[in-house]
């Protein structure tokens, strides 16, 4: 094995561990900020539409993206049901279900790492065989659909929660 391949095999688990430790902080208790929820709830569906155009409207990648979005939407509804909501005075907080959010995001990151490894290993062949273009890979589209569907649905759920909740009156 080449030195670069050995270094890559050593660095990938380190990279996964660093990503996991950062993501753990993101699924901890957070202050609810409606502008963030609106940003995610509107930008992520636009990203889904953009991803749909990268498939060149071929059936398999497009249906994989759609199936991923549907599965992610269902998991987003489940995620909202498992979320712990709090209100402290005028401030609103939510704590996302740790394992659900981490599993979906790490699955997406694992797919990106796999695509990167696939590209790297193909460059080492005598006759490189390029992987399918970005939008033509059904597994990549399913992973993108899953993560975007989850976070879009989750953001809409947070917006609905904030609209239903009223700030507590302050005692003076």
């Amino acid at each position: 094995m080449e030195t670069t391949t050995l270094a890559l095999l050593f660095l990938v688990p380190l990279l996964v561990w660093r990503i996991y430790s950062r993501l753990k902080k993101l699924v901890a208790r957070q202050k609810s900020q409606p502008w963030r929820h609106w940003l995610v709830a509107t930008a992520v569906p636009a990203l889904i539409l953009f991803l749909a155009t990268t498939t060149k409207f071929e059936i398999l990648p497009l249906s994989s993206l759609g199936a991923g979005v549907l599965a992610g939407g269902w998991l987003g509804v489940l995620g909202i049901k498992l979320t712990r909501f709090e209100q402290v005075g005028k401030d609103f907080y939510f704590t996302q279900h740790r394992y659900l959010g981490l599993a979906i995001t790490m699955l997406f990151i694992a797919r990106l790492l796999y695509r990167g490894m696939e590209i790297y290993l193909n460059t080492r062949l005598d006759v490189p065989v390029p992987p399918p273009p970005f939008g033509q890979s059904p597994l990549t589209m399913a992973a993108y659909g899953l993560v975007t569907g989850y976070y879009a649905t989750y953001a809409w759920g947070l917006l609905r929660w904030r609209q239903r909740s009223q700030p507590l009156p302050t005692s003076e």
Side-chain angles (χ1 to χ4, degrees):
M1 264 194 203
E2 294 181 17
T3 309
T4 55
T5 305
L6 288 173
L8 191 60
L9 289 175
F10 174 72
L11 290 176
V12 165
L14 181 66
L15 178 66
V16 169
W17 172 72
R18 287 303 306 149
I19 291 170
Y20 174 78
S21 63
R22 288 218 181 231
L23 287 175
K24 258 184 11 184
K25 294 175 185 174
L26 291 176
V27 294
R29 181 178 185 232
Q30 299 177 42
K31 187 173 182 178
S32 175
Q33 298 175 339
W35 68 269
R36 277 190 182 172
H37 307 321
W38 276 111
L39 180 68
V40 172
T42 55
V44 172
L47 178 63
I48 292 169
L49 290 175
F50 171 73
L51 290 172
T53 62
T54 64
T55 64
K56 298 180 183 171
F57 301 103
E58 290 189 22
I59 297 296
L60 188 57
L62 189 60
S63 60
S64 296
L65 177 65
V69 168
L70 286 175
W74 180 79
L75 289 171
V77 170
L78 179 65
I80 285 292
K81 289 180 181 178
L82 296 175
T83 298
R84 189 167 33 117
F85 298 105
E86 302 173 56
Q87 185 174 357
V88 180
K90 291 185 177 184
D91 295 330
F92 294 91
Y93 296 92
F94 66 96
T95 306
Q96 190 177 12
H97 188 266
R98 171 173 273 178
Y99 300 113
L100 184 61
L102 280 174
I104 291 170
T105 308
M106 288 303 289
L107 181 69
F108 170 68
I109 290 171
R111 180 60 188 165
L112 290 181
L113 288 174
Y114 178 80
R115 286 281 293 183
M117 287 291 291
E118 193 177 40
I119 291 169
Y120 170 76
L121 292 176
N122 277 333
T123 62
R124 300 290 175 210
L125 296 175
D126 293 334
V127 180
V129 178
F134 169 78
Q136 302 302 307
S137 172
L139 283 176
T140 302
M141 288 293 107
Y144 272 108
L146 185 71
V147 78
T148 54
Y150 174 77
Y151 281 109
T153 305
Y154 195 80
W156 281 109
L158 289 175
L159 285 170
R160 287 187 60 220
W161 163 66
R162 283 300 302 267
Q163 287 174 349
R164 285 181 297 188
S165 304
Q166 299 297 322
L168 294 174
T170 58
S171 58
E172 296 181 276

